[in-house]
């Protein structure tokens, strides 16, 4: 039996069968009506991300040990502001270059210098105090004390802004504080001034992080855009204080390896800042947070190995509580943030 004929779009008789007609019509459907599978991340992109994670890990470890080596020299230990100014200068140069072709990692913006002054003051404070902590403390305690930044941020947010956390977050914070306290006597010995400097260092870091979070929202910029404006102004802010606080070294008497360490520490600082922004931009803050905890474990391991330290059961318990509590809190905080989005 002949197939039923139907009028075509031009008023002519179409002798195509219904099956053939449907097949043709389906092929003519617009592509956007066809469900597409989610695109997979290209292996090249995964390789680039892995490379920057490696760079960030390497530069973090290198920065800690190079800075420790630099400040182990008696003369360079009295040049804290000069070394910090060099770090800021190198960071600003690397960030500026990264905005140019062929990199173009982010788009630079120009912010009002007067509005940036309070941010730069916090920036200078936390970096200088962090270097002092590294100068007067062992690497192990220096790294563990940095873990206390998160509990301090939570405490300041509660006292100033009445921001509260869940009971599980609070439990992880208590575990972190307990873990750090267990390592204090074993790691720092009688150096009370080292504990005081470390405490002021992570408190200033917490204040800086809170202030930066607010200013990023106020200025509607990304962290690298803000840092590119911070770095040059921070150098200018440091210069007037250098003659009164630092003691200029006699470079002829400073060992060459210590000078090389000071130079390379600035390069490491700039690459660390740049890789940090690229990792967060290409993945997420949670990924960077996990990488940070892995770096803490590596720094602690290398630090104690270089110092010939043998960990006691109390040390092991303290480290596990400090790092584990920090990791749990970060995971819970990121999950809560994703649920709010």
């Amino acid at each position: 039996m002949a197939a039923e004929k139907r009028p075509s779009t031009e008023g002519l008789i179409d002798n195509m069968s219904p099956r053939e007609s449907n097949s043709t019509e389906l092929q003519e459907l617009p592509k956007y009506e066809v469900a597409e599978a989610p695109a997979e991340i290209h292996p090249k992109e995964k390789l680039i991300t892995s490379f920057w994670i490696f760079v960030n890990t390497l530069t973090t470890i290198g920065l800690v040990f190079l800075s420790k080596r630099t400040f182990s020299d008696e003369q360079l230990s009295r040049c804290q502001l000069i070394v910090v100014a060099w770090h800021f200068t190198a960071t600003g140069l690397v960030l500026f270059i990264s905005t140019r072709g062929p990199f173009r990692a982010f788009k630079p913006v120009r912010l009002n210098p007067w509005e940036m002054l309070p941010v730069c003051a916090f920036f200078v404070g936390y970096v200088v105090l962090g270097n002092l902590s590294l100068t007067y403390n062992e690497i192990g305690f220096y790294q563990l004390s940095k873990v206390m930044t998160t509990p301090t941020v939570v405490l300041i947010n509660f006292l100033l802004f009445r921001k509260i956390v869940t009971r599980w977050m609070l439990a992880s914070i208590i575990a972190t504080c307990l873990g750090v306290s267990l390592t204090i006597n074993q790691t720092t010995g009688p150096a009370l001034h080292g504990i005081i400097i470390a405490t002021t260092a992570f408190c200033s870091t917490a204040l800086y992080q809170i202030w930066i979070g607010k200013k990023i929202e106020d200025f509607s910029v990304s962290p690298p855009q803000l840092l590119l404006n911070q770095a040059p102004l921070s150098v200018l802010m440091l210069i007037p204080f250098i003659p009164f606080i630092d003691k200029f070294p006699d470079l002829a008497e400073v060992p060459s390896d210590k000078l090389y360490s000071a130079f390379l520490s600035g390069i490491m600082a700039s690459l660390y800042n740049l890789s940090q922004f690229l990792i967060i931009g290409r993945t997420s803050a949670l990924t960077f947070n996990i990488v940070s905890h892995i770096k803490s474990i590596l720094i602690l391991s290398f630090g104690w190995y270089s110092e010939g330290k043998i960990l006691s059961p109390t040390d092991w318990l303290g480290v596990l509580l400090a790092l584990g509590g920090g990791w749990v809190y970060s995971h819970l905080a990121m999950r809560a943030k994703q649920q709010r989005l």
Side-chain angles (χ1 to χ4, degrees), residues 26-325:
L26 287 174
Q27 292 176 0
E28 294 175 352
L29 284 175
K31 290 185 178 180
Y32 62 80
E33 294 184 6
V34 180
E36 296 182 357
E40 295 185 0
I41 300 177
H42 194 277
K44 181 181 178 181
E45 294 298 316
K46 293 181 180 179
L47 183 62
I48 294 175
T49 301
S50 300
F51 168 77
W52 284 115
I53 290 176
F54 172 76
V55 169
N56 184 264
T57 303
L58 183 65
T59 53
T60 303
I61 298 173
L63 178 59
V64 170
F65 285 90
L66 285 172
S67 297
K68 183 67 175 178
R69 184 178 180 84
T70 299
F71 296 131
S72 65
D73 182 80
E74 184 178 354
Q75 291 195 69
L76 294 181
S77 65
R78 297 194 293 265
C79 302
Q80 298 281 340
L81 297 188
I82 294 176
V83 174
V84 170
W86 158 236
H87 286 186
F88 289 166
T89 302
T91 298
L93 288 174
V94 170
L95 288 174
F96 177 76
I97 293 172
S98 68
T99 63
R100 304 300 176 182
F103 306 104
R104 302 195 183 279
F106 63 94
K107 182 179 180 180
V109 297
R110 180 174 295 181
L111 302 176
N112 188 329
W114 292 108
E115 294 181 357
M116 289 295 301
L117 288 180
V119 182
C120 294
F122 276 107
F123 188 40
V124 169
Y126 106 85
V127 174
V128 170
L129 288 170
N131 283 344
L132 285 173
S133 176
L134 186 59
T135 302
Y136 293 104
N137 289 306
E138 297 175 355
I139 292 176
F141 180 68
Y142 161 80
Q143 191 63 32
L144 281 175
S145 66
K146 290 176 64 176
V147 179
M148 288 294 296
T149 301
T150 297
T152 306
V153 169
V154 173
L155 178 62
I156 294 175
N157 275 327
F158 174 75
L159 294 176
L160 297 182
F161 309 109
R162 291 293 182 245
K163 292 183 178 180
I164 59 176
V165 295
T166 66
R167 58 183 180 180
W168 291 111
M169 288 182 178
L170 182 60
S172 65
I173 290 172
I174 294 174
T176 300
C177 297
L178 179 60
V180 174
S181 66
L182 287 175
T183 63
I184 287 179
N185 291 333
Q186 299 293 327
T187 308
T188 61
L192 179 61
H193 65 280
I195 299 176
I196 296 174
I197 293 174
T199 302
T200 55
F202 67 69
C203 287
S204 64
T205 303
L207 288 170
Y208 172 71
Q209 289 184 359
I210 293 173
W211 187 265
I212 282 299
K214 182 178 184 303
K215 288 304 175 182
I216 286 176
E217 293 181 0
D218 292 345
F219 297 146
S220 298
V221 294
S222 65
Q225 290 173 328
L226 187 64
L227 184 59
L228 183 57
N229 284 268
Q230 282 178 226
L233 286 176
S234 298
V235 175
L236 295 176
M237 184 179 291
L238 283 173
I239 290 176
F241 297 97
I242 289 177
F244 301 100
I245 297 177
D246 282 7
K247 184 176 180 180
F248 288 93
D250 184 355
L251 297 181
E253 296 182 1
V254 178
S256 58
D257 62 318
K258 302 297 175 64
L259 292 176
Y260 289 141
S261 296
F263 174 77
L264 290 176
S265 66
I267 305 301
M268 290 289 182
S270 59
L271 291 176
Y272 164 77
N273 288 319
L274 178 60
S275 60
Q276 171 181 317
F277 300 135
L278 291 175
I279 291 172
I280 295 176
R282 299 179 68 88
T283 57
S284 67
L286 178 58
T287 300
F288 181 76
N289 208 279
I290 294 173
V291 173
S292 297
H293 286 290
I294 294 174
K295 291 186 297 186
S296 296
I297 295 173
L298 292 174
I299 292 172
L300 285 170
S301 301
F302 286 127
W304 282 328
Y305 175 78
S306 64
E307 296 161 1
K309 181 178 177 60
I310 300 176
L311 297 184
S312 66
T314 303
D315 289 327
W316 281 113
L317 178 60
V319 171
L320 291 175
L321 285 174
L323 296 181

